[in-house]
Every structure is written in structure tokens, then in C-alpha cells.
Amino acid sequence: MTNTNLPPPEDAWFDPYQKLLPHWQSHSHSSHQSTIPISISRVNQVDAARLDVEMSAMLKEQLVKAFSLMKPGMLFQYEAELDAFIEFLIWRFSIWVDKPTPGIGLMNLRYRDERAMETRGKVRTGLEGPGLTVAQKIWYCVATVGGQYIWARLQSFSAFRRWGDSEQRSFARRAWMLIQRIEGLHKAASFCNLLIFLYTGRYRNLIERALRARLVYGNPNMNRAVSFEYMNRQLVWNEFSEMLLLLLPLLNSSSVRNFLRPFSKDKSSSSADDDTACPICLANPTIPFLALPCQHRYCYYCLRTRCAAVASFRCSRCSEPVTAMQRHSGVSNVIPKKDH
């Protein structure tokens, strides 16, 4: 028996298709237009900045060694220019040619123009997007290289001219107060930006926020180039070295040496060394001087620097206060110690 109530075969699939078509279109449209949120590791961004600072310090150290034969103190006068030159080199061969800086590259990051992402409709992974524009690159160089150089020179010039002294004329005094206020406002803005960065994970500093240059991952399938084990060793060593730098000035080397002297195995050699070696640098003095009144022999520069640095310097051998110094060659020229 044939059922006359069944729909025609062409209508059996057409009616469900008409019902499901609006849902499928809305789902497809929303999937193409939605932006998948991504979270860039804040640790990676901070580590990238620290690695860039270390790289600049390494380049500066090599340049200083190259000019080590020049007149002493000459390179110190152009330290600001040297720092600006190094920062310009890093910018020229990294950001200007659409490449990450050494620290950013090691952390698998790159700069992205966040302004262009606001106008784009289709975002599939959240990692797309163009790099910085030419204007952004130029302003980045002006702010990081030129701005820091001008500010460093302005601070050194104002300190050398003593604009902050109350005896200066009103113009210099007002300029000094203006510099201090600008510096205070910049520190406050940097602190607020740091809090926002820790909350949102975007824009490490004010320059990146002003230029809308955001750090995103360069390759979504690439791991960190610096292992956590190496970073942990670096952190432990840095904290240990800072602790030593804090504790060493508090220790009295002469008292520790006097405490350990009875435990010395070879006392005869130590008594012989008392007459020949300087107790500070443990070398044979080229310009021997005697500490008065104990008359123990030192290098001139060792004894002079210790007496100038410490107001109540005591002899490293007998712990007796040093009141003056005399040349060991027999000439009776006594140099009194200057009190601070």
C-alpha cells in the first residue's frame, strides 16, 4: 500500500536545508570575524629587554677595549655618544630592516603594528599582522637613541654647571626644577605603564605604548631559545654576587687576617714576606713606603689610596692606626695622612 502523505523526494532534503542555512551562515560569519585572544608571556618580554641591555653592555666593553691605548679618561667624556652609537647600530641592523633585536629574537618575539590590526576583519590565529611602518621605525629610533642621548647630555651639563645650587641665577634654577619635574613625571608614568603591562601583557615601556608597537610571537611552534635551567643559574649567581658585594665592605680584612694568622702553617715564610711583600696587594713594592709609626712596608699607591679612602686606616699587619707615611729609601720625607 502506497502512502500518499510523504513529500516528494526533492522536498525531503530542501526543507531541512532551509531551516539550517541561517544558523550555518551566522556561525561561519562569526568564525571568520572573531579574533582569537592570545597571551604573550610577560617573562619573555622582560627577558628580551634584559638581553638587549646585556648585548649593548658587551658591545660597549669591546669598544672600550679597542680604545684602551688612548689617553686615560678621554673615552669617559664621550660615554653618552658611545652609548647612542651602539643603540643606533642595534636599531639599524634589526628594527630598520624588519628584524627583531637580539634579545627579542632569542625570546621568539617580533614587533607588530597594533594599529593595523584594529582595521583588519579576519584574524584566524591572533599572530598575523604587519610589522612596524617606516614612520614607527623612525620615531622608535628618535625616542630610544636620540631621546636618551639628549636627556643624558642635559643631565650631565646641568650637573656640571650646578644649576641646582641656590646661588645660581633664577633661570638656571628654574631649568633645574623643570628637569627634576620632568624626570619625576616620567618615572611615575613608567611605573603606571608597568602595572598596566603586568595586567594586560602589552607594551613594556612608554615608547611601545605611544607607537602602538606590540610584541607578539614570531613563530607559534618555536620554544624558548633560553632554557629555564640556564636562567635559574644566572639568577642564583646574580643574587649571590650581589650578596657578596653587600657583605664584603662590612668585613674588616685586617681583623680577619689577624684572626687566621695563628693557624698559618709556615710562620717563617710569613715573617720573611713581611719584609718584602706589600700586605695589601701581596706584591713586591716598586715604590716602597713605610706606615708610621709601626714602620711596616707598603706600596705607595696601596697605602695612599687606603689612607685617603678610610679616615682611621689601621695597619694590615699590626692593626695600629696609621698617622703618616715615609719613603723606605732612607729619605726622611714624611707625608702626613689627611683626615676627612
Side-chain angles (χ1 to χ4, degrees), residues 1 5 17 22 44-45 51 53 69-70 89 122-123 130 139 158-159 200 206 209 231 240 255 263 268 296-297 300 304:
M1 184 177 63
N5 294 327
Y17 171 76
N44 283 23
Q45 300 182 57
L51 288 173
V53 172
L69 299 179
M70 296 177 61
L89 287 181
K122 297 181 179 180
V123 178
W139 280 113
S158 60
T200 62
L206 296 175
R209 186 170 297 277
M231 292 181 60
F240 181 71
S255 60
F263 303 98
S268 60
H296 285 130
R297 191 165 71 165
Y300 169 74
R304 189 66 175 174

Side-chain angles (χ1 to χ4, degrees), residues 49-117:
R50 184 61 184 267
L51 288 173
D52 287 335
V53 172
E54 296 292 336
M55 179 63 67
S56 301
M58 292 174 59
L59 293 176
K60 182 179 179 180
E61 182 181 0
Q62 297 301 322
L63 287 178
V64 170
K65 289 182 179 179
F67 293 98
S68 59
L69 299 179
M70 296 177 61
K71 182 180 178 181
M74 180 178 179
L75 197 61
F76 178 76
Q77 300 177 359
Y78 303 98
E79 186 176 3
E81 286 77 7
L82 181 62
D83 294 337
F85 176 70
I86 294 175
E87 294 296 333
F88 176 78
L89 287 181
I90 296 177
W91 170 85
R92 172 61 181 82
F93 295 101
S94 59
I95 296 179
W96 178 250
V97 292
D98 293 327
K99 292 182 179 179
T101 61
I104 294 177
L106 286 175
M107 292 295 105
N108 184 29
L109 299 173
R110 69 177 182 90
Y111 275 121
R112 184 179 74 182
D113 185 8
E114 200 67 10
R115 298 175 303 177
M117 299 305 299

Side-chain angles (χ1 to χ4, degrees), residues 69-227:
L69 299 179
M70 296 177 61
K71 182 180 178 181
M74 180 178 179
L75 197 61
F76 178 76
Q77 300 177 359
Y78 303 98
E79 186 176 3
E81 286 77 7
L82 181 62
D83 294 337
F85 176 70
I86 294 175
E87 294 296 333
F88 176 78
L89 287 181
I90 296 177
W91 170 85
R92 172 61 181 82
F93 295 101
S94 59
I95 296 179
W96 178 250
V97 292
D98 293 327
K99 292 182 179 179
T101 61
I104 294 177
L106 286 175
M107 292 295 105
N108 184 29
L109 299 173
R110 69 177 182 90
Y111 275 121
R112 184 179 74 182
D113 185 8
E114 200 67 10
R115 298 175 303 177
M117 299 305 299
E118 297 176 355
T119 59
R120 295 171 65 95
K122 297 181 179 180
V123 178
R124 282 191 273 177
T125 64
L127 299 177
E128 302 95 346
L132 302 181
T133 62
V134 176
Q136 286 177 316
K137 296 175 184 177
I138 295 176
W139 280 113
Y140 187 92
C141 177
V142 171
T144 56
V145 180
Q148 293 181 3
Y149 168 72
I150 294 175
W151 184 254
R153 273 303 178 191
L154 182 60
Q155 284 187 326
S156 62
F157 181 78
S158 60
F160 179 75
R161 295 290 183 176
R162 297 181 179 180
W163 286 1
D165 294 346
S166 58
E167 295 82 6
Q168 293 290 338
R169 56 185 181 272
S170 60
F171 175 76
R173 184 66 179 176
R174 286 197 301 267
W176 174 260
M177 295 300 297
L178 180 61
I179 292 174
Q180 296 300 315
R181 290 180 181 178
I182 293 175
E183 184 177 5
L185 291 175
H186 180 266
K187 290 182 179 179
S190 299
F191 178 73
C192 295
N193 181 81
L194 176 62
L195 296 180
I196 298 174
F197 166 74
L198 294 178
Y199 180 74
T200 62
R202 298 185 179 187
Y203 310 120
R204 301 171 301 175
N205 50 51
L206 296 175
I207 298 175
E208 294 179 357
R209 186 170 297 277
L211 298 177
R212 302 297 299 277
R214 185 186 178 188
L215 286 175
V216 296
Y217 290 118
N219 186 357
N221 300 320
M222 182 177 178
N223 297 325
R224 293 169 59 94
V226 180
S227 63

Side-chain angles (χ1 to χ4, degrees), residues 23-33:
H23 299 283
W24 179 79
Q25 288 179 348
S26 62
H27 177 73
S28 177
H29 180 75
S30 62
S31 63
H32 283 289
Q33 296 297 330

Side-chain angles (χ1 to χ4, degrees), residues 287-325:
I287 306 178
F289 263 72
L290 298 179
L292 300 180
C294 62
Q295 295 188 356
H296 285 130
R297 191 165 71 165
Y298 289 82
C299 293
Y300 169 74
Y301 295 103
C302 295
L303 183 59
R304 189 66 175 174
T305 53
R306 289 299 177 90
C307 291
V310 182
S312 58
F313 174 68
R314 294 178 176 272
C315 178
S316 301
R317 298 193 185 278
C318 61
S319 298
E320 187 174 354
V322 178
T323 59
M325 43 193 299

